[in-house]
Amino acid sequence: MIIRPNQHWFLRLFDWRGSVLSKITFRLGLNVLMSIIAIVFYQWYEQFGIHLTVAPFSLLGIAIAIFLGFRNNAGYSRFVEARMLWGTLLIAERTLLRQLQNLLPEEKALHRHIARYLIAFAWSLKHQLRHTDATADLYRILPKPAFAEVNASPMPTNRILLLLGHEIGRLRQAGQLSDITYKMLDNKLDELAHVLGGCERIANTPVPFAYTLILQRTVYLFCSLLPFALVADLHYMTPFVSVFISYTFLSWDSLAEELEDPFGTTANDLPLSAICNGIERSLMEMNDQQPLPALHKPDRHFNLT
């Protein structure tokens, strides 16, 4: 995710990092090429009675804009839901640790033990969603016996949740928790399970391919033929106007493609590593552990991962 300081609106017009311009530069270059072809061969194809007007492109452009708007809304709703799920994760883990500290204030070692499972759950979910190797983080966080079991599991995040439930269950069996307090803690584990399932649903259910394909074909065909409709009126200004219009449509399409997968590492995806770092710092601070891990900050390109 791009995290920039406040800028003057004029300076923001020239920002490169975080925009989708770098992804569509080649496609805009093709539009310039089509514009040059339209200018060079304008007189030639006019002799054959081939004449495109702006009118059908105006109607088609409105339709494309509406459908791109729907697609961007669908992508953004996935992004917002993903962020809400990770916000719920942070709240549930903080609440569970706070409740445990309130119920068993003298069990400092237990607080740290449970916090390690909660921290490992967040980092493991991040790696699962990004399809990266969680071994290093899990080895760093989990107790060694638990690490061996989790690392051997094909579904390590769910396994961590299961082990966390076992720890809470043992407290109930030892008589340290009443039925009511056990249910209170178990409700927070249910919230973590809902977060896990919700993130898996978003990650494993892409926007229907046919819907994306139809829209992209229409956009690319529109941008390719647009110079031939503009050249009769604009002549040598055709490349400038055509590229400007194409930039709008291609940018919307590229941005929608990024938002469809909010768990990735592109400029407009969620900063999952930074969120996990914040969760780890927060839970360790609640246990008065020092030193805290260094706070994740945006890099020199303002990108926070």
Side-chain angles (χ1 to χ4, degrees):
M1 176 177 283
I2 295 298
I3 307 294
R4 279 186 173 272
N6 291 330
Q7 289 178 289
H8 190 273
W9 66 267
F10 183 75
L11 296 177
R12 186 170 294 170
L13 295 178
F14 301 97
D15 284 339
W16 180 265
R17 302 287 179 181
S19 73
V20 296
L21 187 57
S22 58
K23 294 186 175 182
I24 63 173
T25 302
F26 178 74
R27 283 170 276 183
L28 291 178
L30 293 178
N31 185 263
V32 172
L33 179 62
M34 293 300 292
S35 299
I36 294 174
I37 293 174
I39 294 172
V40 173
F41 292 98
Y42 172 65
Q43 298 295 334
W44 180 76
Y45 67 76
E46 276 281 297
Q47 295 176 1
F48 289 89
I50 302 175
H51 181 66
L52 294 177
T53 64
V54 177
F57 285 87
S58 300
L59 297 175
L60 183 58
I62 294 173
I64 292 175
I66 293 173
F67 283 114
L68 279 172
F70 283 141
R71 187 183 176 213
N72 273 272
N73 286 339
Y76 189 67
S77 66
R78 292 163 64 89
F79 178 89
V80 171
E81 183 182 2
R83 185 62 188 94
M84 291 178 65
L85 287 169
W86 276 85
T88 300
L89 172 63
L90 171 62
I91 295 170
E93 292 197 347
R94 280 177 174 171
T95 303
L96 193 152
L97 184 60
R98 174 183 57 79
Q99 290 173 342
L100 198 61
Q101 289 180 343
N102 293 340
L103 293 169
L104 304 170
E106 303 302 323
E107 301 287 344
K108 302 296 184 181
L110 174 65
H111 302 161
R112 296 190 178 191
H113 184 66
I114 296 299
R116 294 171 75 178
Y117 279 104
L118 294 173
I119 295 169
F121 178 85
W123 281 104
S124 179
L125 179 56
K126 172 252 181 181
H127 285 288
Q128 176 181 329
L129 296 174
R130 287 187 171 175
H131 306 288
T132 53
D133 186 8
T135 303
D137 280 319
L138 296 183
Y139 182 82
R140 172 178 63 88
I141 299 168
L142 286 173
K144 297 304 177 284
F147 166 75
E149 182 176 348
V150 169
N151 198 48
S153 173
M155 299 179 181
T157 310
N158 191 54
R159 176 62 59 171
I160 293 172
L161 190 60
L162 180 63
L163 294 178
L164 186 56
H166 289 167
E167 296 293 335
I168 302 299
R170 275 193 279 269
L171 294 177
R172 174 69 187 94
Q173 293 171 359
Q176 293 179 273
L177 298 175
S178 66
D179 288 340
I180 295 177
T181 54
Y182 170 77
K183 182 62 176 177
M184 183 172 60
L185 295 175
D186 190 61
N187 285 339
K188 295 306 168 186
L189 296 183
D190 287 342
E191 288 188 30
L192 297 181
H194 283 296
V195 169
L196 173 59
C199 289
E200 289 175 337
R201 171 172 48 80
I202 294 174
N204 299 330
T205 311
V207 173
F209 175 73
Y211 179 74
T212 301
L213 182 62
I214 291 171
L215 191 54
Q216 286 188 338
R217 283 175 173 170
T218 306
V219 168
Y220 295 150
L221 185 61
F222 175 90
C223 294
S224 298
L225 296 180
L226 181 62
F228 295 95
L230 298 176
V231 68
D233 296 321
L234 299 179
H235 302 290
Y236 294 111
M237 288 296 294
T238 299
F240 300 100
V241 178
S242 179
V243 166
F244 178 72
I245 297 173
S246 298
Y247 166 74
T248 303
F249 287 116
L250 294 174
S251 294
W252 284 349
D253 178 67
S254 181
L255 179 59
E257 200 167 348
E258 283 191 18
L259 294 177
E260 286 174 10
D261 178 19
F263 304 123
T265 56
T266 59
N268 295 293
D269 289 329
L270 290 174
L272 297 186
S273 295
I275 294 175
C276 291
N277 172 253
I279 291 173
E280 184 172 356
R281 287 171 54 87
S282 180
L283 298 186
M284 289 181 64
E285 192 279 332
M286 291 177 68
N287 285 330
D288 298 319
Q289 293 178 254
Q290 295 294 334
L292 298 179
L295 181 66
H296 284 203
K297 295 181 179 180
D299 61 20
R300 62 190 184 91
H301 299 305
F302 308 102
N303 190 35
L304 181 65
T305 59

